[in-house]
Amino acid sequence: MDDKGSVGKISVSSDSVSTLNSEDFVLVSRLGDETPSSTNNGSDDEKTGLKVRMVGCRYGPDESSSDGSPVSPIPDEDSVVFSQLTYLGCASVNAPRSEVEALRMMSILRGQCQVPLDVTLSVPGVSEGTVRLLDPNTSTEIANYPIYKILFCVRGHDGTTESDCFAFTESHYNAEIFRIHVFRCQIREAVSRILYSFATAFRRSAKKALLSSQQAAPLTPDSDLFTFTVSLEIKEDDGKGTFSAVAKDKDKQSFKLRAGMDKKIVIYVQQTSNKELAIERCFGLLLSPGKNVKNSDMHLLDLESMGKSSDGKSYIITGSWNPNTPQFQAVNEETPKDKFMYMTTAVDLVITEVEEPVRFLLETRVRVCSPNDRLFWPFSKRNYTETFYLKLRQVCDRKERKSPASDTLYEVVSLESETEREKRKTTASPGILSTGPDNDEPLLSGSGDVSKECAEKILETWGDLLSKWHMNLSVRPRQLPALVRSGIPEALRGEVWQLLAGCHNNDHQVEEYRTLITKESPQDSAITRDINRTFPAHDYFKDTGGDGQDSLYKICKAYSVYDEEIGYCQGQSFLAAVLLLHMPEEQAFSVLVKIMFDYGLRDLFKQNFEDLHCKFFQLERLMQEYIPDLYNHFLNVGLEAHMYASQWFLTLFTAKFPLYMVFHIIDLLLCEGISVIFNVALALLKTSKDDLIQTDFEGALKFFRVPVPKRYRSEENAKKLMELACSMKISQKKLKKFEKEYHTIREQQEQQEAPIERYERENRRLQEANMRLEQENDDLAHELVSSKIALRKDLDNAEEKADALNKELLLTKQKLVDSEDEKRRLEEESAQLKEMCRRELDKSESEIKKNGSIIGEYKQICSQLSERLEKQQTANRGELEKIRVSTCCEKCSSLFNKEGRVRAAVTSAPAGGAEETDEEKEGLKNQLREMELELAQTKLQLVEAECKIQDLEHHLGLALNEVQAAKKTWFNRTLSSIKTVTGTQGKETT
């Protein structure tokens, strides 16, 4: 595409991917200067203003694979998620690949959209994925559109109102209806990145399809070989209501169980090669103590659950195990110290398209300890993993089935585990166990068991020596060399090796190691390749991805970064593995660095292995002196030292020899230096002299490769060899003399060499150095580009974060202003409430005073009336008494009763006197009634006054309570919290 082009197209042929048809996908995007920096990975077209990012292909209309089965969508594990998008709607279109119509519909939908929908867009990294619309709040899926159905993508032109919009068209239903979906970005610059994500997905798909078509290999006889990885995890009741994974011994690869605890068995089954076979169900999880048990001895466990894992890669079966039942008594009793027993676990699976059930059998080591035991290093919680090879034979084809219910396609030919394969290789013939001439299988590295048992007297001697040594670590004890020559006890090797190497105070090295393992190594592929071939016979290193291989990879990677001049060299992994068997990886790295630098091992790898060739010359000169007949024989057959002794020096005998011998060699190396390798080499040649003299060139090489390492699987033979090596006295003066001879010979050869040949050799060396520097330059350039891309991504993320923080700051400031306004409003309301309360309180107090004065007046009036009434009654009684006394006739006296009151007359009185008396009586009675009425009214008023007083006192109490409560209401608390918040924010702002 030229700089002025507007549309471009890249086609992907249907031949490259079988599930795609010939219809091409076209993706058009105008990226301009907004293209992310991560796109600068190739062409000059990416620097132009208008970009066509990618095309891909789409699936056929039936959406099925070539064999008729539905195509399962690939999980979008490598998807890119974009937020702050608005979905404007969709509409039907007649020309799904027309940019003009797409832009027209974009303008219409943008203008007519009444209720925009906020969404999050997920764009997959592969064309087999799906574009998903997600709810930004709950992350639930709203809609999805498979990439293969998307036909066209376009964005709005710059300078228009649609510049922040983009759209894509997709085929709906059976490809007869086409719809366009329009989106708006709140951040306009994100439009380019979204379209670039679409382009990236289809670019990866095209490259992947092309690569797979080029690398497709014809089927081999192993086409019917299906590989499964089966992992076993044992969980125990931790007493807290949950089950936790039990620990596993790193050295012996045995599970550590606690007696009497309820347990669970968890099996993980994962297919790792060939066409996927679906596991239908598990119909049996069995367990039995022991090894090589019969089917009748297996006991069925209760199944708790079965099904696929969350990622769909593994099938997980969980069963409960009660160890207290009689059949499991053997694995519920404590085992002696340093002993273990075997346990066999089996899982029976029904696999779709396989005629018969498949049983995976796992034999593991276990140790049963007390429930109160605590775990210390070296224990891990890794699963036990075994690889199984299932050989199937196809018995019918899908098209040959007579009924849909007939699911059998394969029958089981064989099922073999990785352990069984290794045993079959090592026991294929009796000659493997001997050193006969027909035995061609070499001894696997890491072979041989080293017992930790040691005589008590030896341990006491070493204990006393270590106690003295720790008092002064700078000086080695005198008796140390003699003890080391006899071999360091296995239980003490880790500590003693670190002391011999001078790593007793290596905290800085440990911290540096933790930093180094986080860096990338340019030799990562070589390290990974060698890790799988290091100590395959040892349980700690045989599991791919296990603890041993993981730690070994870290150490080798860290050293390759630490020593940039030498880096990682083949063979270093064996030495690192030996160290890992005795100490944690941090300390093992420190000792490895000491051996490489302080003991001169790294010098063997420098200057085109010049120092290694010097070692070969020294070895041959020592053979000439100590074993002249073998030296002459090797001269006659043309066998040179570098043909058989390279691994001896480069790996320090760790690659091919049994571990008992290897550990003893490292003992001597750390104590006496790298010159001890000459002692061991001479001792080995001397003990094998009689056999080697009878061989020719081919036989000698074969003898060094196979019979020699196997001869020392016997500890007795290895002890004799090491005793012979320690008894041989090779002085440093003699080695220096041979080294000087070697350099003299090399100088003479260089002087005798023709100048042209010397210059050619020097030229080749310089060319090699130049190529190495160019490679380093390319690596640095690649690293620089990667760093720039990473920095650009970090910068984009920082800018996005800064924008988000700025928006958050603006929102916070607005909230602060609103809070201050609310604070002022609440303060005004508080003042008004206080004033109202004060007025009500004053009013209440005045009412109380007024009512008090009224009550006082009422009381005074009542008392006055009472006094008046009493006086009047007293006066009346006095008047009556006077009248009664003054009355002398019996007739008049009869008018008074015994109490002295006037009694009604029973006889008629004289008319004049009677009338006067009646009037006086009536007057007195009226006066009396008035006084009684006035008294009753006064009492009534008194009662009313008391009621009113009580009512006023009640109102006063309520008012006081309201005033008191007003001081502690939510209003006051809210007001105080607002004051606190605004005060803190004010300080931060200043």
Side-chain angles (χ1 to χ4, degrees), residues 33 58 113 150 261 348 356 467 486 570 572 694 731 754 767 932 956 958:
D33 296 333
R58 68 182 189 86
C113 180
I150 298 178
M261 296 291 182
D348 294 326
E356 56 188 296
S467 300
S486 300
Q570 189 176 13
Q572 287 178 358
Q694 299 175 9
S731 64
Q767 286 179 350
E932 289 177 350
L956 177 61
L958 292 176

Side-chain angles (χ1 to χ4, degrees), residues 111 124 130 149 163 170 313 322 335 390 410 500 508 554 564 577 638 640 674 681 685 694 852 855 919 951 953 977 979:
T130 301
K149 286 190 174 183
S163 61
E170 51 109 8
K313 294 181 180 180
N322 182 8
T335 53
L390 178 63
Y410 299 96
L500 288 171
H508 68 286
K554 290 180 182 178
E564 296 180 356
E640 299 178 0
I674 199 171
L685 291 168
Q694 299 175 9
I855 291 170
E919 289 178 0
D951 192 20
E953 288 178 350
S977 62
K979 290 179 179 179

Side-chain angles (χ1 to χ4, degrees), residues 955-973:
H955 284 294
L956 177 61
L958 292 176
L960 291 174
N961 290 335
E962 290 178 359
V963 171
Q964 186 68 21
K967 297 179 180 180
K968 300 180 180 179
T969 56
W970 64 269
F971 166 73
N972 283 350
R973 291 195 295 270

Side-chain angles (χ1 to χ4, degrees), residues 603-606 609-617 645-646 649-650 742:
D603 295 336
L604 303 181
F605 300 93
K606 295 169 61 177
F609 298 96
E610 185 67 24
D611 193 58
L612 178 62
H613 288 288
C614 180
K615 293 288 189 291
F616 293 151
F617 178 81
S646 297
F649 286 96
L650 294 177
Y742 172 77

Side-chain angles (χ1 to χ4, degrees), residues 541-744:
F541 297 102
K542 72 176 183 180
D543 292 337
T544 302
D547 284 350
Q549 291 196 6
D550 183 52
S551 299
L552 189 57
Y553 168 78
K554 290 180 182 178
I555 291 179
C556 295
K557 173 186 173 183
Y559 185 82
S560 67
V561 178
Y562 178 81
D563 190 354
E564 296 180 356
E565 181 183 3
I566 300 300
Y568 172 79
C569 296
Q570 189 176 13
Q572 287 178 358
S573 59
F574 294 100
L575 178 57
V578 170
L579 299 175
L580 265 178
L581 292 175
H582 296 89
M583 60 193 76
E585 57 187 69
E586 293 86 353
Q587 284 72 27
F589 173 76
S590 300
V591 176
L592 176 64
V593 170
K594 288 286 185 179
I595 293 175
M596 294 295 292
F597 281 84
D598 296 354
Y599 288 81
L601 184 59
R602 72 186 297 272
D603 295 336
L604 303 181
F605 300 93
K606 295 169 61 177
Q607 298 178 358
N608 201 20
F609 298 96
E610 185 67 24
D611 193 58
L612 178 62
H613 288 288
C614 180
K615 293 288 189 291
F616 293 151
F617 178 81
Q618 290 172 313
L619 178 60
E620 290 178 342
R621 291 287 285 113
L622 290 171
M623 285 179 61
Q624 185 179 6
E625 183 174 334
Y626 288 92
I627 323 172
D629 47 353
L630 183 61
Y631 173 76
N632 294 328
H633 176 69
F634 281 177
L635 285 180
N636 293 333
V637 299
L639 188 64
E640 299 178 0
H642 67 85
M643 298 177 183
Y644 58 85
S646 297
Q647 281 194 343
W648 297 355
F649 286 96
L650 294 177
T651 68
L652 305 178
F653 289 94
T654 59
K656 295 298 181 184
F657 288 85
L659 292 181
Y660 179 86
M661 174 180 167
V662 168
F663 294 167
H664 201 164
I665 293 173
I666 301 301
D667 294 343
L668 296 173
L669 170 79
L670 292 172
C671 182
E672 301 181 9
I674 199 171
S675 61
V676 76
I677 301 300
F678 292 108
N679 297 61
V680 178
L682 280 178
L684 193 149
L685 291 168
K686 193 170 185 179
T687 55
S688 305
K689 180 182 68 172
D690 296 339
D691 296 320
L692 288 170
I693 287 179
Q694 299 175 9
T695 61
D696 56 4
F697 180 83
E698 296 284 345
L701 290 179
K702 183 178 178 181
F703 188 82
F704 279 119
R705 185 171 61 90
V706 181
V708 169
K710 290 187 175 181
R711 175 178 294 176
Y712 300 103
R713 289 183 296 183
S714 168
E715 288 190 14
E716 184 178 356
N717 293 340
K719 284 182 179 179
K720 291 180 180 179
L721 175 67
M722 298 310 298
E723 288 175 359
L724 178 60
C726 293
S727 64
M728 302 182 71
K729 304 299 181 182
I730 302 176
S731 64
Q732 293 294 326
K733 184 177 180 181
K734 186 178 294 185
L735 292 176
K736 290 289 184 183
K737 174 185 175 183
F738 294 155
E739 182 181 357
K740 187 176 181 180
E741 288 181 11
Y742 172 77
H743 289 300
T744 303

